[in-house]
């Protein structure tokens, strides 16, 4: 029986959203559980890992339990990383048992943040002891922050003295810092797998190295995560670093998140009427980028531009008009292709919208060049992240 276009369009969108939710449940998205007192450096860790210096971390967290919240980066639609933040530590009514139940099968790694010179940490110790006993196999990083509290008015050492040892304690440290770290290691012995002393401070605080120990933290996280969950962070390192601040904080993470989800869709296909989920993810990405750039977009423009990029387009009428485009045949054959082509599609459209906003009319040759170069770039990043 024939149904109106609007009704069919709504049905297709509902099918897409259902498939997307299933994909998000299966996608290898790392979930990092941040555990520490207020002011211990949890937000600084999130900002450093996401390279989102100006993002408001607090408002982005959604309640998960009475005392804990989750933050999806860059957003819940296209997550690359997820952070759990426990805020109730130190409050009399905080009971870790609720978080243990909620996060037992969700969190892949705990990051316990403690200011290096803060020894009023009995509440952290007690709660962490209970959590560790309940789930002893989950890796725990003890991240000692704000090292500069031990040497106010001085710069960090020019050469990072800390190693990747389980409990790095160089002999040439500031004596106050060395004693303090040693005390923390003894107090939390048996409750962590690796300690990482760091100092992540805003540039305006005047330190020559505002991300002291940041690379060691990334390495420790990568070493501690299950192999399947390292890929997003490795891809972030390669793809987010060389772009502008605006792109890093807005469009690039969204493109990367959609590309990762497309790779999952290609690896674990779902039936979705007769429209591949990967193609739906791509179209969703185009509309999202258009909204970010505040530029209107329609199915006809999608067909025209993506035809230039991919060389072959099939855009059907009716319910499919605003939901899909096919830049080439068989692009969802495997995860690597889905990732590379979705990333290149997003980057080419991002370039298109930026050019239009600047009053430039993109030429076909320019679009093809951008698209093809980004396919090569994304393919190389995929291979690199798979081999590490």
């Amino acid at each position: 029986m024939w149904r109106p276009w609007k009704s069919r369009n709504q049905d297709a969108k509902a099918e897409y959203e259902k498939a997307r939710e299933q994909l998000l449940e299966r996608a290898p998205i790392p979930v990092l559980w941040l555990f520490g007192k207020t002011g211990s450096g949890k937000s600084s860790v999130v900002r450093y890992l996401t390279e989102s210096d100006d993002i408001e971390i607090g408002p982005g967290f959604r309640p998960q339990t009475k005392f804990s919240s989750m933050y999806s980066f860059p957003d819940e639609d296209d997550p690359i990383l997820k952070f759990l933040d426990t805020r109730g530590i130190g409050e009399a009514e905080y009971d870790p048992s609720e978080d243990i139940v909620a996060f037992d099968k969700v969190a892949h790694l705990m990051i316990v943040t403690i200011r290096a010179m803060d020894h009023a940490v009995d509440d952290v110790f007690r709660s962490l002891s209970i959590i560790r006993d309940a789930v002893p196999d989950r890796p725990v990083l003890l991240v000692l922050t704000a090292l500069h509290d031990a040497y106010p008015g001085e710069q960090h050492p020019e050469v990072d003295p800390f190693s990747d040892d389980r409990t790095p304690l160089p002999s040439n440290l500031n004596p106050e810092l060395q004693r303090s770290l040693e005390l923390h290691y003894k107090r939390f012995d048996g409750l962590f797998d690796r300690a990482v002393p760091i100092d992540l401070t805003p540039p305006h605080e005047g330190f020559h190295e505002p991300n002291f120990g940041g690379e060691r933290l990334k390495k420790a996280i990568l070493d501690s995560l299950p192999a399947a969950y390292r890929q997003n962070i490795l891809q972030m390192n390669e793809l987010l670093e060389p772009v502008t601040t605006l792109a890093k904080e807005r469009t690039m993470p969204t493109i990367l998140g959609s590309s990762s989800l497309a790779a999952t869709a290609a690896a674990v296909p779902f039936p979705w009427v007769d429209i591949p989920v990967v193609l739906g993810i791509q179209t969703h990405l185009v509309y999202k980028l258009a909204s970010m750039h505040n530029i209107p977009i329609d199915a006809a423009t999608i067909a025209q531009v993506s035809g230039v990029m991919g060389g072959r387009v099939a855009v059907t009428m009716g319910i499919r008009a605003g939901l899909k485009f096919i830049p080439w045949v068989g692009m969802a054959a495997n995860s690597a292709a889905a990732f590379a082509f979705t990333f290149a599609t997003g980057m080419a459209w991002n370039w298109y919208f930026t050019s239009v906003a600047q009053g430039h009319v993109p030429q076909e040759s320019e679009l093809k060049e951008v698209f093809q170069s980004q396919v090569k770039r994304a393919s190389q990043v995929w291979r690199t992240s798979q081999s590490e």
Side-chain angles (χ1 to χ4, degrees):
M1 179 178 178
W2 182 86
R3 291 179 299 139
W5 174 88
K6 184 176 181 180
S7 176
R8 289 180 290 159
N9 194 36
Q10 289 174 341
D11 288 347
K13 287 183 177 179
E15 288 292 330
Y16 168 71
E17 292 301 329
K18 180 181 179 181
R20 189 182 186 88
E21 287 300 316
Q22 290 176 305
L23 285 173
L24 286 172
E25 291 177 2
R26 294 172 176 258
I29 301 167
V31 179
L32 310 182
W33 185 356
L34 301 167
F35 196 82
K37 294 164 57 177
T38 299
S40 63
K42 291 179 291 184
S43 293
S44 295
V45 168
V46 175
R47 289 191 177 94
Y48 175 73
L49 293 177
T50 61
E51 298 191 24
S52 297
D53 297 332
D54 298 326
I55 197 169
E56 289 189 69
I57 299 299
F61 281 90
R62 296 183 60 200
Q64 300 293 304
T65 67
K66 182 178 180 181
F67 289 102
S68 298
S69 302
M70 179 178 285
Y71 171 72
S72 297
F73 173 78
D75 55 40
E76 293 185 11
D77 285 341
D78 303 290
I80 305 171
L81 280 172
K82 292 187 177 183
F83 300 91
L84 297 166
D85 178 18
T86 300
R87 300 176 181 273
I89 302 169
E91 299 182 24
E93 63 269 32
Y94 177 67
D95 180 356
S97 59
E98 184 182 15
D99 288 339
I100 291 172
V101 173
F103 305 151
D104 181 18
K105 297 181 179 179
V106 177
H108 302 109
L109 170 67
M110 284 194 75
I111 298 178
V112 181
T113 55
I114 295 175
R115 295 182 73 95
M117 302 305 290
D118 179 13
H119 291 277
V121 291
D122 289 346
D123 292 322
V124 177
F125 175 83
R126 282 193 293 268
S127 298
L128 180 59
S129 298
I130 296 172
I131 294 171
R132 182 73 162 182
D133 286 343
V135 191
D137 295 334
R138 179 168 45 220
V140 175
L141 296 183
L142 181 65
V143 179
L144 289 311
T145 66
L147 305 182
H148 66 271
D149 287 349
Y151 42 90
E154 300 179 18
Q155 291 288 333
H156 303 310
E158 290 188 12
V159 177
D160 189 344
F162 295 101
S163 66
D164 293 328
D165 294 341
R166 180 179 177 274
T167 52
L169 194 65
S171 59
N172 59 339
L173 284 181
N174 171 287
E176 290 296 319
L177 178 59
Q178 189 175 39
R179 281 193 292 270
S180 189
L181 293 181
E182 189 172 11
L183 286 172
H184 282 307
Y185 293 162
K186 288 181 178 179
R187 177 184 291 113
F188 288 92
D189 185 39
L191 299 182
F192 68 95
D193 298 284
R194 186 164 167 177
V196 188
I198 64 172
D199 200 305
L200 309 177
T201 50
H204 66 77
E205 293 195 15
F207 289 99
H208 297 160
E209 176 49 78
N211 296 319
F212 186 76
E215 287 302 315
R216 282 188 289 100
L217 175 61
K218 281 185 182 179
K219 185 177 185 304
I221 291 173
L222 288 169
D223 290 346
S224 302
L225 283 173
Y229 292 87
R230 299 172 190 163
Q231 189 168 320
N232 280 1
I233 297 177
L234 289 168
Q235 291 167 354
M236 283 175 60
N237 287 347
E238 291 292 325
L239 295 172
L240 299 192
E241 184 176 353
V243 297
T244 64
T245 300
L246 175 63
K248 277 194 293 187
E249 296 190 3
R250 296 182 60 202
T251 58
M252 276 293 292
T254 295
I255 293 170
L256 181 54
S258 292
S259 303
S260 298
L261 195 62
T264 301
V268 188
F270 289 94
W272 178 38
V273 194
D274 62 338
I275 308 174
V277 177
V278 171
L279 304 179
I281 291 171
Q282 289 187 340
T283 305
H284 174 85
L285 173 59
V286 174
Y287 282 110
K288 195 165 186 178
L289 291 173
S291 177
M292 288 179 169
H293 286 276
N294 198 28
I295 292 178
I297 192 71
D298 54 33
T301 303
I302 289 177
Q304 179 183 4
V305 175
S306 50
V308 170
M309 291 189 297
R312 179 170 180 174
V313 183
V315 181
T316 60
M317 301 299 291
I319 124 179
R320 298 167 181 80
L323 290 177
K324 82 174 215 177
F325 62 93
I326 304 177
W328 55 85
V329 176
M331 63 77 54
N334 57 66
S335 294
F339 176 86
F341 290 132
T342 302
F343 182 83
T345 297
M347 292 297 288
W349 275 100
N350 199 39
W351 179 85
Y352 173 88
F353 290 132
T354 300
S355 298
V356 170
Q358 294 173 348
H360 172 65
V361 180
Q363 302 298 306
E364 289 189 9
S365 59
E366 295 174 314
L367 274 169
K368 288 181 179 179
E369 182 179 352
V370 171
F371 180 80
Q372 291 169 3
S373 67
Q374 293 301 326
V375 167
K376 293 179 181 177
R377 180 186 177 200
S379 298
Q380 179 59 49
V381 169
W382 177 273
R383 286 194 294 270
T384 302
S385 65
Q386 287 289 304
S387 62
E388 292 190 17

